[in-house]
Amino acid sequence: MADNKRPTPIPLATVGGFLGSGKTTLINHLLNQANGRRYVVFVNDFGAINIDLQLVETIEDDRISFSNGCVCCTLNDEFVGSVAEMSKRQDRPDAILIEASGVADPRALEASLSALEASNHVRLETALYIVDAGCFGQRDYAEVEMLIDHAATSDLVLLNKSDLVSEQALDGLLQEFSVAAPYAATLATVQSCVSPALLFGNSDRPTRPEAKAGPHRHPDYHHWHYSGRDPMTRDALVELTKILQQHFFRIKGIVQSAADPTIWLSLQVVGTRAVIGQLPQGFTGKDAVEIVGIGIGPKMRRVELDRSMAAFEETLKPTPALPAMFTGKT
Amino acid sequence: MSGTLFYGGTIVTQDPKYPAPEAVLISCGKIVAVGDLADIQPRADKATVQHDLAGQTLLPGFIDAHSHPIWAAKTRGAPVVDVRANIVPTYAALIGKIKRRVAVAAPGEHLLFFGLDAQLHPDMEAPTRAFLDELAPDHPLGIQTSNCHALFLNSAGFKACGIDETTPTPTGSIIERDENGVPTGKIAEAVTWTALESFYEAWGARRLAEEVEQQILAFVANGITTVTEHLYMPFYKASYMAALNQKLPLPRVACYQQATTPDMRVEKLTDADDRLWMAGVKIHADGSPFIGNIWLTEPYLSNEITLERMDLKPGHTGGPNYPQEYFERMVREYFSAGWQMTVHTQGDRTIDMVLDLIETLLEEMPRPDHRFRLEHCALMRRDQIRRAHALGVQCSFFINHITHWGAPIEDALFGPERAAHYMPAGSAVAEGMRISLHADTPMTDASALDLMQAAVTRRAADGRCLGEGERLDIETALKSVTIDAAYHIGMEDQLGSITPGKHADLVILGANPLETEGDRLGDIPISSTWLAGERVYGG
Ligand SMILES: [Zn+2]
C-alpha cells in the first residue's frame, strides 16, 4: 500500500438505551472477555460498571486500566484529545465503545465524533441501541416514543432480555421495530450478547477462541467472502451493494474501477448506510474485487445469495456484438 | 451603568474601518470603542468588567434574515408530534406513531403531527380524509408537511377549523374537494396557517408562552441576536410584548406583516430600543417546490416522487398563488404606502412576474432605496439576477434546501442542470449583490453557522455537492449572516458589525470561522451570546 504512514482509523461504536436495558452488561462482556483485543470504553461514570477486581491493573480518577489491555475512561472534556492521543500510540486500541445515553449535550458529542472521524482518528462503525424487551410493554407513551425515536436513528437495535417475553410477544416486538425503525437491523438478545464483529466489523488481529462463552452463546453472525478478477464500474458496485445489503449488516470491500484501472474504490456498509469512496492514489490490491460481508444471525441465505450473485455476474459480461445480419430489420 | 471590555482574542468586526482590533468596549447596550487595547483600556472605569476572550473569536451577533419565531413556537414542541424524516424515517413508521398517539389521546384532544415529507418519506402516500378518519374517528387530527405549506385533516379536524363544503376557498389558498365540494383532506397555503390556529388555541396560552421561550433560547444559543418575523399577524404582538416584559432574551425582531388582501391595515410597531419593529409587508407570490405549487418555465421531472407522492401531472409547471392582477394590486398598495416589500418567490416564472411588476412600479413611483426583497429564490436564473440587481432588488436565499433536500431536488424534482444553480447564491454574489441567507425556521433549525456551511459547501445529506460554481467563500457567507443581512432589514447603521455607536450585539465563538474548514463551520461551539450589551447565553 502506498499510504502506509496514514494509520487506519480505529473502529468506534456508540451504545445507548434506558437505564437497566443492558448497556452495562454489554460493556462488562466486552471488557472481561476481550479475547486478546484491546478495547477502550468511555462511560459517563464508573459507578455502574461491574469491575472484576482481579483484572484491574491501575485505577485513576478518570481511567481504569485492566491487565488484559482494555481501558475504561470517563467521558469528559478531554475526550477528543485522549482519543487522538490513543490513536497515535504503539499499543493503540482495536476498537472504542462510547456509552452515550447519559450525555448532557448529545450535539456536542456528535460534533466531537465527527471531528475525530474527519481527522481520520476513528471510523464510526455502529450506533447501537438497547431496548429492554422484558419491560417494553410496561412503558408509558412518552417513554415508548423516546425509545422508538432513538432506535430509528440507530444502526443496530438489540431487543435485549428477550428470554423474559414469550415467543409470540417477541415476534410482535420484532415486527413493531421493523416498521418503526426500518433502517436499523434488529436482533433479539439475552444478556446483551452481541459479537464484536457486528459492532466493529472484523478486526485484522486474530482472536483467541471465545473460551468463556456462556451456554446460550451460539454465534449471532455469519461471514461471507468474495473475490473477483474483473474490475467493476462504480454503477455496477452500487448494484452489487444493493444485493448484498439484503443479506449483510456490514460489508467492506475494495474494488478496482473498470473505468480507470488506476483507481480503487472502497465500500463501507453498515445497515442501510453505504459509502463508496476512493482509496489513495497508488493503491493496488491483490484481486480486482475483494468483499467481505457480516450478516446477522447464525445462518446465511446461501442459495438465494448465490443465485443473486450469479445473476449479477451475468450482467457484468460484455454483451456479445450481434452478427451484422441480425441487426437490420428485414 | 457599567460596561464590558473584550480583549485577548481574535476580533472579526465586519467593518473595514476596524480590520483587526485588539479590544472592544461596550457600555449601556452600545459599542463604545474599537481599537488598540492601550487606547481603550483607559476609557474603562472600575466598574467595567474585563472579559478576556482567551483566544476565542468575537464577532457581531448573527442575523437570521428570514424566520418565523412565533410560528416556530406554535409548530414545534409538545403537544405537536415531530415526524420529520430525520426522526421518523418512513410513512409506515409515521402512521405507527400516529396510531400510538391516538391511543392515549384525552377525549376531544387536538392532535397535530409536523413533518410529513413527499421527498424524504420514501413510501409516502397523500393521506385522505377517509383514511385519517379511520385512524382517529373522534379527535381533530392534522398532519402538516415539513415545508409548512400544506395540512392534511380528518373530519373532526375540518370541523374544528370550521372548513366544510360551504366554505369558500380564500384567494391564494387551496382546499382539495370532491365533486360535491366536500374537502377531501388536503389544504395548502395561507388557509393552512389560519386552520392551524384552532389547534394552537385549543392548547392554550400557557403552552404557547413556554414554546416561545424555548424558541428564544434556541436562537440565542446559536448566537443569533436579530431575527425577522416574516409572517407577522397582529395577534402575535401579545406574545412578543409578554416576552419583553418578562425580560426574556428575545432577539431583536424585524416584523414583516403577512398580506393576503390589498386592504389590510399594517400595524405600526416601533420601539426606542430597536427590539421589535414593523419593517415591511410580506406576500407569497408562489408556494413550495416540495408540493409543486411554484411557477416554472420548465416543468418538473416526471417520476414516482413527482407523479405519485406529490400527485403532479406530467409536464407540471405550477402557477402563482394569487391571480396575477390580485397579486399586483396587493403589492402596489403596500409599496405605494412606502413599506419595504418582501415577496416569497421560488419558481423562475414567478420571479419574471415579480420583476416585471417591480419595474413598472419603479417607473410609476421612483424610489431610490426601496430594498424590495425576493425570498428563497430557489430557481432564479442568471439573467434574472442581473435584472434584479439593476433594479435594486435584494435576494435572500433559503440555502438549507441544499443540505436537507439536495438529493431529491436533483434526482426527483429538477434534474442536474437546474440543481447546479438551485438557490444561486454564488451567481448573485458574482453579479455584485449583497445577499442574505436564512433557515426559514421552523422549516429548518436556526443556526447561522449551519447556513454558512451550507452555502460554502453546498453539500447534501448524502455527500453530493450541488453546483460547485454556486459556492460562497467563507468571508461572503459570514457577511450574509451579519452586515449584509442587516442591510436587508434596513438596519445596517445599527446592527451587523462591531462599530462604535451600534448596538452591542455580539457572539463569542470557540474558533474563528474565517480560519475554519468550510465543512466544519457548523461544529464551531458558541461560547456566549450578548444582546444589547448583556450576556444572554453561555459563560
Ligand atoms: Zn418563510
Side-chain angles (χ1 to χ4, degrees):
Chain A
M1 218 195 270
D3 208 3
N4 277 331
K5 275 169 286 170
R6 194 154 153 228
T8 45
I10 304 171
L12 181 148
T14 61
V15 53
F18 280 26
L19 204 66
S21 56
K23 291 173 305 214
T24 311
T25 315
L26 176 93
I27 291 168
N28 290 333
H29 272 311
L30 207 66
L31 293 176
N32 296 333
Q33 298 172 27
N35 295 307
R37 287 202 180 98
R38 306 166 52 84
Y39 294 118
V40 173
V41 180
F42 285 86
V43 293
N44 254 322
D45 72 297
F46 291 145
I49 303 296
N50 259 329
I51 296 160
D52 184 344
L53 282 176
Q54 291 189 310
L55 282 176
V56 170
E57 223 167 55
T58 59
I59 299 187
E60 291 155 65
D61 267 356
D62 55 357
R63 180 180 290 240
I64 302 174
S65 304
F66 298 87
S67 51
N68 63 4
C70 293
V71 182
C72 186
C73 306
T74 46
L75 191 54
N76 55 24
D77 293 346
E78 275 101 68
F79 165 66
V80 171
S82 41
V83 172
E85 189 263 331
M86 281 174 196
S87 77
K88 282 188 211 111
R89 287 167 56 156
Q90 200 64 42
D91 56 345
R92 66 205 297 267
D94 290 301
I96 297 173
L97 182 75
I98 297 177
E99 196 264 276
S101 54
V103 174
D105 186 357
R107 216 189 135 156
L109 177 64
E110 235 171 79
S112 304
L113 290 179
S114 63
L116 282 168
E117 190 168 41
S119 54
N120 219 35
H121 286 105
V122 302
R123 188 177 62 237
L124 302 185
E125 282 288 345
T126 309
L128 174 72
Y129 193 73
I130 309 183
V131 176
D132 182 344
C135 68
F136 187 79
Q138 284 93 273
R139 299 253 177 238
D140 67 20
Y141 167 78
E143 289 170 334
V144 167
E145 294 311 312
M146 195 193 285
L147 209 147
I148 282 178
D149 289 350
H150 283 298
T153 49
S154 302
D155 299 305
L156 180 60
V157 176
L158 304 187
L159 294 182
N160 195 34
K161 309 189 188 179
S162 60
D163 53 336
L164 301 183
V165 293
S166 70
E167 202 163 316
Q168 198 189 0
L170 185 61
D171 282 347
L173 274 182
L174 283 166
Q175 171 59 22
E176 181 156 3
F177 275 85
S178 74
V179 173
Y183 299 155
T186 308
L187 181 64
T189 54
V190 175
Q191 291 192 13
S192 305
C193 248
V194 59
S195 298
L198 284 178
L199 284 185
F200 304 115
N202 254 8
S203 136
D204 302 331
R205 202 193 256 245
T207 61
R208 277 186 275 129
E210 302 190 10
K212 277 209 246 166
H216 54 268
R217 181 119 194 126
H218 47 78
D220 54 6
Y221 70 99
H222 52 267
H223 217 246
W224 176 80
H225 178 251
Y226 176 86
S227 53
R229 263 172 305 170
D230 298 323
M232 229 180 255
T233 63
R234 198 187 180 94
D235 288 348
L237 182 58
V238 169
E239 285 313 307
L240 176 60
T241 306
K242 282 185 199 154
I243 295 171
L244 297 181
Q245 278 179 306
Q246 313 276 321
H247 294 266
F248 301 108
F249 172 64
R250 193 176 277 295
I251 307 162
K252 274 184 206 173
I254 44 174
V255 174
Q256 189 173 20
S257 161
D260 176 353
T262 66
I263 289 178
W264 287 76
L265 304 168
S266 67
L267 173 67
Q268 289 274 359
V269 178
V270 179
T272 51
R273 283 193 286 134
V275 180
I276 295 178
Q278 207 171 310
L279 289 164
Q281 272 293 322
F283 176 89
T284 36
K286 207 157 74 34
D287 287 308
V289 178
E290 199 76 52
I291 296 176
V292 292
I294 299 173
I296 289 180
K299 268 173 102 174
M300 116 165 66
R301 289 174 288 140
R302 187 85 224 195
V303 179
E304 200 185 321
L305 176 61
D306 287 349
R307 204 175 293 147
S308 315
M309 283 307 293
F312 171 74
E313 282 168 346
E314 205 56 41
T315 64
L316 291 184
K317 289 198 182 129
T319 9
L322 289 175
M325 56 189 268
F326 287 118
T327 53
K329 279 206 176 101
T330 48
Chain B
M1 206 168 105
S2 65
T4 305
L5 177 70
F6 299 92
Y7 64 95
T10 307
I11 299 173
V12 178
T13 62
Q14 297 296 86
D15 183 338
K17 285 204 289 294
Y18 303 92
E22 288 174 349
V24 172
L25 178 65
I26 64 172
S27 178
C28 301
K30 295 283 179 122
I31 296 163
V32 176
V34 182
D36 291 345
L37 183 58
D39 296 339
I40 293 177
Q41 188 66 267
R43 296 180 60 176
D45 56 32
K46 256 187 283 170
T48 302
V49 177
Q50 305 273 331
H51 191 109
D52 185 348
L53 293 167
Q56 304 194 91
T57 302
L58 180 74
L59 295 109
F62 295 126
I63 299 175
D64 194 334
H66 180 132
S67 49
H68 308 268
I70 298 293
W71 198 20
K74 292 179 172 195
T75 316
R76 294 287 181 81
V80 179
V81 180
D82 192 344
V83 293
R84 285 175 296 164
N86 61 335
I87 301 164
V88 184
T90 59
Y91 184 64
L94 187 156
I95 297 303
K97 210 168 187 59
I98 292 179
K99 284 183 180 161
R100 293 191 299 272
R101 182 65 185 86
V102 171
V104 296
E109 193 180 354
H110 287 55
L111 306 176
L112 186 60
F113 302 83
F114 175 82
L116 179 63
D117 198 311
Q119 285 74 36
L120 301 182
H121 286 125
D123 51 342
M124 179 196 158
E125 291 162 33
T128 62
R129 176 178 183 156
F131 174 68
L132 295 178
D133 282 347
E134 263 171 54
L135 287 185
D138 306 321
H139 297 86
L141 180 146
I143 308 176
Q144 191 178 7
T145 55
S146 63
N147 52 56
C148 300
H149 284 251
L151 178 68
F152 297 88
L153 291 167
N154 68 350
S155 293
F158 275 112
K159 190 161 174 223
C161 304
I163 298 172
D164 60 25
E165 56 276 20
T166 66
T167 313
T169 304
T171 310
S173 290
I174 297 165
I175 299 176
E176 291 188 354
R177 303 167 189 265
D178 66 12
E179 60 277 14
N180 300 317
V182 179
T184 50
K186 183 182 175 183
I187 63 174
E189 295 307 310
V191 68
T192 300
W193 307 319
T194 36
L196 285 168
E197 287 301 327
S198 52
F199 283 78
Y200 307 142
E201 262 165 42
W203 297 331
R206 176 135 170 236
R207 176 260 170 188
L208 177 61
E210 283 167 9
E211 293 300 329
V212 169
E213 183 168 354
Q214 288 306 312
Q215 276 304 320
I216 289 171
L217 297 178
F219 280 116
V220 295
N222 280 288
I224 295 168
T225 51
T226 299
V227 295
T228 69
E229 178 54 79
H230 235 89
L231 213 65
Y232 180 86
M233 303 202 213
F235 56 89
Y236 284 7
K237 189 176 174 181
S239 291
Y240 281 126
M241 294 318 288
L244 285 173
N245 290 337
Q246 287 168 52
K247 303 258 180 285
L248 293 177
L250 177 70
R252 300 175 197 282
V253 188
C255 298
Y256 292 87
Q257 190 164 331
Q258 183 194 18
T260 53
T261 60
D263 56 356
M264 171 193 76
R265 199 182 66 83
V266 184
E267 200 163 325
K268 294 223 163 50
L269 277 179
T270 50
D271 175 50
D273 299 324
D274 294 329
R275 294 295 291 270
L276 178 71
W277 68 95
M278 188 58 66
V281 174
K282 154 92 179 275
I283 302 177
H284 280 83
D286 64 4
S288 164
F290 304 120
I291 63 174
N293 61 341
I294 63 173
W295 201 17
L296 300 168
T297 50
E298 298 292 324
Y300 275 89
L301 302 181
S302 289
N303 48 48
E304 194 235 321
I305 288 187
T306 52
L307 301 181
E308 283 167 38
R309 283 193 243 160
M310 294 167 71
D311 204 14
L312 309 179
K313 301 267 177 302
H316 180 84
T317 52
N321 272 16
Y322 299 94
Q324 199 166 332
E325 181 268 338
Y326 184 93
F327 170 78
E328 294 188 2
R329 202 141 48 92
M330 280 197 285
V331 177
R332 183 181 301 270
E333 179 65 31
Y334 303 111
F335 182 81
S336 63
W339 290 108
Q340 184 193 14
M341 299 303 301
T342 141
V343 173
H344 172 117
T345 55
Q346 296 279 30
D348 61 336
R349 204 147 157 196
T350 311
I351 295 172
D352 279 332
M353 171 184 82
V354 177
L355 291 177
D356 287 347
L357 175 62
I358 295 171
E359 198 168 79
T360 312
L361 291 178
L362 287 173
E363 274 163 24
E364 288 170 20
M365 39 191 148
R367 194 166 131 194
D369 195 11
H370 55 82
R371 298 192 202 180
F372 199 116
R373 283 178 57 169
L374 301 186
E375 302 304 306
H376 314 324
C377 309
L379 292 144
M380 192 170 193
R381 302 186 312 261
R382 186 78 179 228
D383 62 294
Q384 294 178 321
I385 292 170
R386 257 175 244 133
R387 188 175 172 210
H389 188 43
L391 288 168
V393 170
Q394 314 298 321
C395 293
S396 188
F397 294 98
F398 186 175
I399 199 71
N400 284 356
H401 271 212
I402 305 275
T403 46
H404 288 56
W405 292 276
I409 284 166
E410 179 168 12
D411 300 341
L413 303 184
F414 304 116
E417 264 165 55
R418 279 183 286 178
H421 298 286
Y422 190 93
M423 300 290 171
S427 296
V429 170
E431 293 292 346
M433 272 191 179
R434 295 175 77 173
I435 63 158
S436 63
L437 302 171
H438 60 255
D440 203 13
T441 312
M443 250 191 90
T444 64
D445 293 340
S447 158
L449 290 167
D450 285 350
L451 290 175
M452 288 176 63
Q453 179 169 330
V456 167
T457 64
R458 288 182 68 92
R459 204 165 283 292
D462 68 350
R464 74 176 78 182
C465 172
L466 247 68
E468 292 188 357
E470 294 291 350
R471 290 179 301 184
L472 299 185
D473 59 71
I474 297 181
E475 221 157 306
T476 309
L478 182 58
K479 281 194 189 126
S480 68
V481 293
T482 54
I483 187 66
D484 288 356
Y487 177 76
H488 277 197
I489 58 170
M491 288 292 276
E492 71 278 14
D493 54 346
Q494 293 293 328
L495 303 170
S497 67
I498 301 180
T499 304
K502 285 194 178 182
H503 289 299
D505 294 356
L506 305 165
V507 59
I508 298 175
L509 301 182
N512 181 356
L514 298 176
E515 285 166 11
T516 300
E517 290 293 322
D519 58 359
R520 311 229 53 96
L521 287 166
D523 296 336
I524 297 177
I526 310 282
S527 300
S528 59
T529 307
W530 300 66
L531 174 62
E534 303 286 329
R535 177 165 38 205
V536 290
Y537 171 78

